[in-house]
């Protein structure tokens, strides 16, 4: 059982769909491109979604290069590994980056973001990471942040690679210029497709020169208008992601948001009772990754889980050998959580009997597609 921050376990029909290999200029593939964008627009609440062959990092860099010009002043708020990667992408783009820093395990308040904007009245853009898998912390109040940023007329760029489909998120309604994610996270598809969701304002802000073609969102959208991609795509991953988007549609995006939060709250409660020291609190915890200092040596804990065929992750960077990170994104449900909690109880010799919330369960039509061996 794989419970890492991504890639994730996927439903059987998603895995089967990934085996499709067709001519990427065929009508069958064109229909998949059109359907995939239609469904992802629905899930994001966006105007357009660029479909990119690559990782979530490609989606992030495409957002940066397509919506930020050289010499633009951009404010960013790194609070973990991926926030620093976003900062580095902005610097490489040639932006004038103003970076507000936090210690690992801490996060920013809406008031701190508002203050930073007031201190940089010549800034044009705010760029941030929605959910940090490196620390198990997130901006749970993204709408309030969007209200602040868009209220003063700045662009808002959001790396939601590990946040999309796990929190309420409405691109057009909240007037976010661009939000990006990857197929292998809470969408519950295989790796290989990046998504860049744009509001109508974001589409109009796209840069069409001074950037590599592969990172040019406008270029991708022009090809998508005819149901194609500008370059050879990850064909199987497109078919898999279409199927994953269909299953998300069946579950309902709001139900998926609720399932992620219910599972995360339950697991945090259990781990706290078992003696873990958790990162994050009720105002900023991640719905997709629980990060914690274990009550026994980290390597011992992880190896004991491995003996029980459960794989989790260590920390990243400074926290690599200090914390464990448990990924609960995608189609993780009460069955997976129960098995994990039971195994942790055996290892730590602690029996915690909290009832798993009903919202942590998958609907029956998805449940039959997911096995937790």
């Amino acid at each position: 059982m794989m419970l890492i921050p991504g890639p994730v376990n996927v439903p059987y029909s998603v895995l089967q769909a990934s085996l499709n290999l067709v001519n990427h200029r065929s009508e069958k593939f064109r229909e998949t491109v059109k359907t995939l964008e239609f469904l992802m627009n629905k899930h994001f609440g966006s105007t357009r979604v660029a479909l990119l062959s690559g990782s979530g990092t490609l989606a992030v860099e495409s957002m940066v290069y397509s919506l930020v010009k050289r010499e633009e002043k951009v404010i960013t708020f790194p609070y973990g590994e991926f926030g620093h990667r976003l900062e580095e992408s902005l610097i490489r783009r040639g932006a004038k980056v103003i970076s507000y820093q936090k210690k690992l395990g801490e996060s920013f308040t809406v008031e701190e973001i508002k203050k930073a904007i007031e201190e940089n009245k010549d800034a044009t853009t705010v760029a941030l990471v929605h959910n940090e898998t490196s620390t198990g912390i997130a901006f749970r109040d993204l709408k309030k942040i969007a209200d602040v940023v868009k209220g003063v007329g700045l662009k808002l760029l959001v790396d939601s690679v590990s946040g999309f489909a796990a929190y309420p998120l409405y691109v057009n309604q909240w007037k976010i210029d661009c939000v990006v994610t990857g197929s292998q996270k809470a969408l519950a598809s295989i790796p290989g497709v990046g998504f860049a969701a744009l509001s109508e304002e974001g589409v109009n802000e796209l840069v069409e020169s001074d950037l590599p073609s592969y990172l040019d969102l406008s270029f991708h959208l022009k090809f998508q208008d005819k149901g194609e991609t500008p370059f050879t795509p990850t064909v199987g991953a497109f078919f898999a992601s279409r199927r994953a988007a269909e299953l998300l549609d069946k579950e309902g995006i709001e139900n998926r948001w609720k399932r992620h939060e219910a599972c995360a709250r339950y697991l945090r409660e259990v781990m706290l009772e078992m003696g873990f020291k958790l990162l994050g609190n009720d105002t900023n915890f991640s719905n997709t990754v629980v990060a914690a200092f274990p009550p026994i040596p980290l390597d011992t804990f992880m190896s004991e889980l491995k003996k029980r065929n459960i794989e989790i992750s260590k920390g990243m960077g400074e926290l690599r050998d200090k914390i464990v990170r448990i990924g609960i994104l995608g189609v993780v449900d009460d069955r997976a959580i129960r098995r994990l909690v039971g195994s942790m109880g055996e290892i730590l010799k602690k029996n915690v009997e909290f009832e798993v919330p009903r919202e942590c369960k998958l609907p029956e039509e998805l449940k039959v597609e997911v096995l937790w061996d």
Side-chain angles (χ1 to χ4, degrees):
M1 183 168 74
M2 187 168 65
L3 295 176
I4 64 174
V8 299
N9 287 315
V10 303
Y12 178 74
S13 64
V14 171
L15 199 58
Q16 285 297 110
S18 73
L19 301 178
N20 276 287
L21 181 59
V22 302
N23 178 357
H24 65 290
R25 302 300 180 202
S26 66
E27 193 54 41
K28 184 175 181 180
F29 191 72
R30 290 190 190 97
E31 193 269 334
T32 291
V33 168
K34 291 176 181 177
T35 302
L36 180 55
E37 185 184 357
F38 171 80
L39 288 169
M40 294 304 288
N41 263 320
K42 180 179 179 181
H43 298 322
F44 274 111
S46 54
T47 296
R48 295 297 306 269
V49 177
L51 311 175
L52 313 169
S53 287
S55 66
T57 301
L58 172 69
V60 172
E61 298 215 323
S62 296
M63 172 177 69
V64 167
Y65 276 74
S66 291
L67 284 150
V68 176
K69 297 177 182 177
R70 295 182 189 276
E71 302 299 317
E72 272 195 58
K73 188 172 182 179
V74 181
I75 310 171
T76 192
F77 300 91
Y79 57 103
E81 179 72 21
F82 293 97
H84 289 296
R85 291 189 191 182
L86 174 59
E87 177 187 14
E88 178 63 23
S89 293
L90 290 162
I91 292 170
R92 286 175 178 269
R93 177 59 173 130
K96 294 179 179 177
V97 180
I98 304 300
S99 181
Y100 287 80
Q101 306 285 332
K102 283 284 184 179
K103 294 178 182 178
L104 290 175
E106 296 181 359
S107 61
F108 294 89
T109 65
V110 176
E111 286 304 312
E112 286 174 321
I113 290 175
K114 186 176 181 180
K115 183 172 183 289
I117 291 172
E118 291 171 350
E119 292 171 351
N120 296 277
K121 295 188 182 299
D122 56 339
T124 62
T125 304
V126 169
L128 53 81
V129 171
H130 186 190
N131 181 90
E132 261 292 353
T133 56
S134 67
T135 56
I137 290 175
F139 280 116
R140 300 186 64 84
D141 45 12
L142 189 59
K143 182 184 184 301
K144 292 180 181 178
I145 294 170
D147 288 343
V148 168
V149 174
K150 300 307 294 183
V152 293
L154 301 187
K155 285 183 289 188
L156 178 57
L157 310 182
V158 179
D159 168 352
S160 191
V161 171
S162 60
F164 166 75
Y167 304 88
L169 177 59
Y170 301 93
V171 173
N172 279 334
Q173 188 177 323
W174 296 353
K175 300 180 181 178
I176 303 174
D177 296 84
C178 188
V179 178
V180 296
T181 193
S183 55
Q184 78 285 8
K185 300 290 187 175
L187 178 62
S189 183
I190 68 169
V193 183
F195 302 93
L198 298 148
S199 63
E200 185 173 351
E201 188 174 348
V203 171
N204 293 331
E205 292 279 359
L206 289 174
V207 176
E208 295 190 34
S209 60
D210 188 32
L211 75 164
S213 296
Y214 208 75
L215 303 180
D216 186 343
L217 296 181
S218 179
F219 191 40
H220 282 79
L221 292 177
K222 286 174 182 175
F223 272 79
Q224 284 173 220
D225 286 339
K226 54 185 179 181
E228 296 185 2
T229 59
F231 313 106
T232 304
T234 47
V235 174
F238 268 68
F239 280 100
S241 296
R242 170 184 169 169
R243 179 57 182 161
E246 290 169 345
L247 293 178
L248 174 53
D249 200 39
K250 289 182 178 181
E251 180 175 9
I253 189 73
E254 293 183 359
N255 291 327
R256 187 159 295 192
W257 297 338
K258 291 175 183 176
R259 176 165 54 78
H260 277 85
E261 179 161 348
C263 291
R265 285 188 181 277
Y266 171 77
L267 185 57
R268 289 176 64 84
E269 184 181 17
V270 168
M271 290 175 67
L272 194 62
E273 187 73 13
M274 286 184 171
F276 289 82
K277 182 182 177 183
L278 301 175
L279 276 74
N281 54 46
D282 277 347
T283 69
N284 62 19
F285 74 86
S286 166
N287 281 353
T288 61
V289 173
V290 177
F293 295 88
I296 62 174
L298 181 147
D299 287 335
T300 300
F301 179 69
M302 291 188 65
S303 64
E304 286 297 321
L305 281 179
K306 195 75 172 177
K307 289 176 185 176
R308 293 163 173 81
N309 198 30
I310 299 175
E311 182 181 4
I312 63 172
S313 295
K314 287 186 175 183
M316 300 177 70
E318 294 175 31
L319 296 175
R320 176 171 175 76
D321 294 313
K322 298 178 181 178
I323 66 169
V324 294
R325 295 180 301 140
I326 302 174
I328 51 171
L329 62 170
V331 286
V332 173
D333 66 357
D334 61 312
R335 297 169 299 166
I337 297 292
R338 282 196 185 94
R339 183 174 163 201
L340 171 67
V341 169
S343 295
M344 291 195 301
E346 288 177 10
I347 295 165
L348 300 174
K349 297 179 174 55
K350 289 191 176 181
N351 184 28
V352 178
E353 295 184 356
F354 295 149
E355 185 177 351
V356 183
R358 174 178 52 81
E359 293 83 0
C360 186
K361 297 181 179 180
L362 281 168
E364 285 301 319
E365 59 188 316
L366 240 68
K367 183 177 180 179
V368 296
E369 286 210 41
V370 182
L371 299 177
W372 294 105
D373 296 328

